[in-house]
Amino acid sequence: MPLYNTQTLKIYNSLSGEKETFKPIHEGNIGMYVCGPTVYSNVHLGNVRTFMSFDVIFRYLLHLEYKVRYVRNITDVGHIVDDAEDGEDKIAKKARLEQLEPMEVVQRYTVDFHEILKAFNFLPPSIEPTATGHIIEQIEIIKKIIASGIGYEANGSIYFDVVKFNETNHYGRLSGRNIEDMLANTRDLDGQSDKRNPQDFALWKKAEPQHIMRWPSPWSDGFPGWHLECTAMSTKYLGNHFDIHGGGMDLKFPHHECEIAQNEACTGQTPVNYWMHANMLTLNGKKMAKSTGNNILPREILTGENTILSKAFSASVARFFMLQAHYRSILDFSDDAIVAAEKGYKRLMEAMEVIKQLPTASKSTIDIAAWKQSCYDAMNDDFNSPILIAQLFEGVRYINLINDGKESLTAADLEIFSLAMNAFVFDVLGLEDEKTTDSSNDKLEGAVNMLISMRNQARADKNFALSDQIRDQLIALGIQLKDGKEGTTFSV
Ligand code: AMP
Ligand code: ZN
């Protein structure tokens, strides 16, 4: 029997505002879409937090033995500066400022994104589609929305008529807004817009002559709207109706609201059963954002090169720090908080070593099955990673008590205990034991230093054939020796 049949998973659904018992559309299979980054600059730690929240959700669903198709896109066109309707494309702007091709910008920051996620031990999604790779699909959806009477053309651009849509559907359902308030609170600033209503949003924009990112369409040479991209890419790979759609809280409106409207106008059915929104990482109490400069880059965590940081921290410590907060809570970044997280992480990793060599006994004095279920209960309760971590520290307490001979487990219980600790720490939370790499570094340093002293001895003995041989063979292995005033050092 698959594990998911033994657990009751509840997910907070932004659409209903309630925790709901999760039931996939097709038993045992899950389709999950998460809005990916707009690749016009380096991802900051806030972006990493949102993607990490969904990485852990993905990991837990896999742990429950669901078959998950996880689609996370790359936005490489159509996202306008300030998330506005009119203005410059974020990627085109960067290309103009740096005198690059837009696709050079896209390539550079997609590579950066992948490197960062790898360093932070993310599982890759099942499919990572790009918006520019799905222009044809987007044009097809626009045609359907026009055919349904909701899309209209104005000056070569296509807009979505939210007022007309709202006559039969509910625009604002996800974000808890209503169209009358929205219309009352918006002014058409220039009065010259092509739109019927200021709340209407673009499905397709005609490109101005100077606009370089453009594609042919039945209406004009132009480019797709940002909201439409996610509708096209999610339904292409997951179908018109799928299980989970996620993203950061700031995408709920207008991005996700517009996605729902587009899908409903195009197919007549609402696209997603469970909408999930991850909360923001703040710095000094303010949202981390690329545009304001109030942010830390993930690489700066690893190097310590940021005035806020007292030192460098490993990727696993940063992971542990972020997972100590529930994904729907705001989390503020500070040096003190990550220093404290590092202590907790080390304590956990030490216990993961001790558990490997615990003694066993003929009788168990701890109810391991109950403890294990409490770990599942934490994750079943809307992926509550801080409660899970608290349960894992309860596990650490058991490990130390058993090690001190104050509690005991049978061999069978110890195996259950050890498997569960390993599964939750490494598979579900995605932490890595950095001691392994640290200690191999220590060993390398020890071995090279030993060769350096042998080389010094050879030189003192005027045995230059040997000293050169040591130097050259190290170079062949990619290890460079450098003789300086303070002695010989090496770089790898
Ligand atoms: P973007 O590249 O701006 O489209 O953002 C990529 C993802 O990061 C989106 O899901 C955003 O909601 C999310 N995001 C942006 N800023 C933050 C932040 N400060 N904390 C957490 N997530 C964020
Ligand atoms: Zn999206």
Side-chain angles (χ1 to χ4, degrees):
M1 181 158 67
L3 207 49
Y4 58 76
N5 273 341
T6 67
Q7 303 296 327
T8 306
L9 173 62
K10 292 201 164 192
I11 297 185
Y12 180 87
N13 190 348
S14 304
L15 203 56
S16 63
E18 280 170 16
K19 280 184 201 166
E20 297 173 11
T21 300
F22 177 70
K23 194 171 180 312
I25 297 166
H26 304 287
E27 208 219 298
N29 291 274
I30 296 177
M32 174 162 93
Y33 184 88
V34 172
C35 294
T38 307
V39 281
Y40 71 102
S41 69
N42 301 98
V43 282
H44 58 68
L45 202 63
N47 304 129
V48 170
R49 183 188 180 204
T50 285
F51 296 123
M52 191 182 291
S53 299
F54 289 101
D55 182 58
V56 170
I57 288 166
F58 180 39
R59 284 169 173 275
Y60 187 57
L61 296 175
L62 291 176
H63 175 77
L64 289 181
E65 298 176 329
Y66 281 112
K67 189 161 172 269
V68 188
R69 180 176 293 166
Y70 173 25
V71 183
R72 189 187 63 215
N73 76 297
I74 297 279
T75 298
D76 55 356
V77 68
H79 198 168
I80 307 297
V81 173
D82 295 330
D83 296 353
E85 271 289 307
D86 288 304
E88 203 171 2
D89 184 292
K90 291 188 183 192
I91 286 160
K93 179 176 176 191
K94 182 77 169 192
R96 177 173 60 77
L97 294 176
E98 306 242 324
Q99 296 191 323
L100 295 168
E101 273 290 321
M103 278 301 137
E104 276 181 290
V105 172
V106 165
Q107 181 70 15
R108 176 185 293 177
Y109 295 111
T110 303
V111 168
D112 170 74
F113 177 62
H114 287 153
E115 281 174 4
I116 294 298
L117 296 200
K118 194 155 193 297
F120 283 76
N121 197 30
F122 279 62
L123 293 181
S126 329
I127 305 177
E128 194 171 48
T130 61
T132 55
H134 295 76
I135 302 283
I136 293 170
E137 287 82 351
Q138 294 169 64
I139 290 175
E140 290 307 307
I141 294 176
I142 297 173
K143 284 183 190 163
K144 288 188 189 143
I145 298 177
I146 294 174
S148 76
I150 305 287
Y152 62 93
E153 182 176 353
N155 263 329
S157 293
I158 309 292
Y159 296 98
F160 188 100
D161 188 332
V162 292
V163 173
K164 187 151 185 213
F165 173 76
N166 198 58
E167 286 166 8
T168 45
N169 298 60
H170 180 182
Y171 183 71
R173 189 151 72 97
L174 177 66
S175 54
R177 301 171 190 226
N178 75 60
I179 191 110
E180 289 77 22
D181 292 347
M182 284 189 245
L183 291 173
N185 291 329
T186 37
R187 267 183 316 136
D188 194 355
L189 288 175
D190 55 11
Q192 297 177 8
S193 170
D194 294 330
K195 297 181 198 173
R196 288 181 189 159
N197 317 289
Q199 288 294 332
D200 292 356
F201 56 91
L203 300 172
W204 185 263
K205 289 287 274 189
K206 178 182 173 179
E208 300 296 330
Q210 72 276 12
H211 197 104
I212 31 184
M213 300 177 82
R214 53 169 70 222
W215 290 263
S217 81
W219 315 287
S220 61
D221 272 9
F223 55 94
W226 171 40
H227 315 312
L228 188 68
E229 301 173 353
C230 285
T231 291
M233 291 183 273
S234 58
T235 54
K236 168 148 182 155
Y237 299 108
L238 301 173
N240 288 336
H241 187 203
F242 56 95
D243 298 296
I244 299 174
H245 191 315
M249 202 75 99
D250 55 343
L251 299 186
K252 204 191 255 188
F253 187 88
H255 187 54
H256 292 158
E257 195 73 71
C258 294
E259 270 190 55
I260 296 178
Q262 290 165 160
N263 279 283
E264 290 183 357
C266 177
T267 68
Q269 57 179 317
T270 200
V272 175
N273 280 357
Y274 302 86
W275 281 92
M276 297 184 69
H277 290 98
N279 217 328
M280 298 290 110
L281 185 65
T282 59
L283 182 61
N284 301 316
K286 288 195 216 82
K287 180 188 166 194
M288 273 198 202
K290 296 178 212 179
S291 50
T292 58
N294 184 48
N295 63 54
I296 294 191
L297 296 181
R299 244 187 218 101
E300 294 169 344
I301 298 275
L302 306 180
T303 61
E305 284 163 10
N306 188 304
T307 48
I308 299 157
L309 297 168
S310 55
K311 64 185 208 61
F313 296 91
S314 72
S316 270
V317 168
R319 214 175 219 278
F320 186 78
F321 161 72
M322 295 206 248
L323 297 179
Q324 277 181 316
H326 186 243
Y327 79 90
R328 281 193 294 116
S329 312
I330 290 177
L331 172 64
D332 195 52
F333 184 89
S334 70
D335 190 60
D336 288 352
I338 195 163
V339 166
E342 186 173 49
K343 290 201 184 109
Y345 164 79
K346 286 195 168 149
R347 212 152 64 78
L348 183 59
M349 288 305 141
E350 275 159 24
M352 294 310 287
E353 283 300 309
V354 177
I355 200 173
K356 289 180 191 160
Q357 42 213 309
L358 285 182
T360 55
S362 56
K363 204 166 97 279
S364 291
T365 56
I366 301 167
D367 185 349
I368 281 303
W371 166 84
K372 182 176 159 185
Q373 186 53 42
S374 70
C375 294
Y376 280 99
D377 290 346
M379 289 306 278
N380 290 341
D381 184 15
D382 193 30
F383 308 97
N384 201 322
S385 59
I387 302 284
L388 170 64
I389 290 174
Q391 293 304 336
L392 294 175
F393 276 106
E394 183 67 2
V396 169
R397 202 171 68 81
Y398 295 158
I399 291 169
N400 293 329
L401 286 170
I402 298 166
N403 201 35
D404 293 346
K406 292 181 181 145
E407 300 279 1
S408 63
L409 287 182
T410 62
D413 275 352
L414 179 59
E415 193 181 346
I416 294 171
F417 182 36
S418 175
L419 282 176
M421 280 296 289
N422 276 283
F424 281 108
V425 171
F426 299 118
D427 301 345
V428 174
L429 295 180
L431 298 172
E432 289 178 300
D433 186 356
E434 270 138 14
K435 271 205 306 302
T436 341
T437 45
D438 281 359
S439 74
S440 54
N441 284 342
D442 289 351
K443 284 181 194 151
L444 176 71
E445 198 174 326
V448 177
N449 283 335
M450 189 174 78
L451 287 164
I452 289 174
S453 45
M454 285 166 75
R455 176 169 168 259
N456 290 343
Q457 187 59 48
R459 280 163 141 189
D461 298 346
K462 304 216 179 327
N463 185 351
F464 297 114
L466 179 61
S467 67
D468 287 352
Q469 190 188 357
I470 292 173
R471 186 199 55 204
D472 294 345
Q473 292 199 349
L474 283 173
I475 287 176
L477 292 170
I479 299 168
Q480 187 100 33
L481 298 187
K482 219 166 97 193
D483 296 314
K485 278 199 212 108
E486 311 283 309
T488 306
T489 55
F490 74 95
S491 56
V492 185

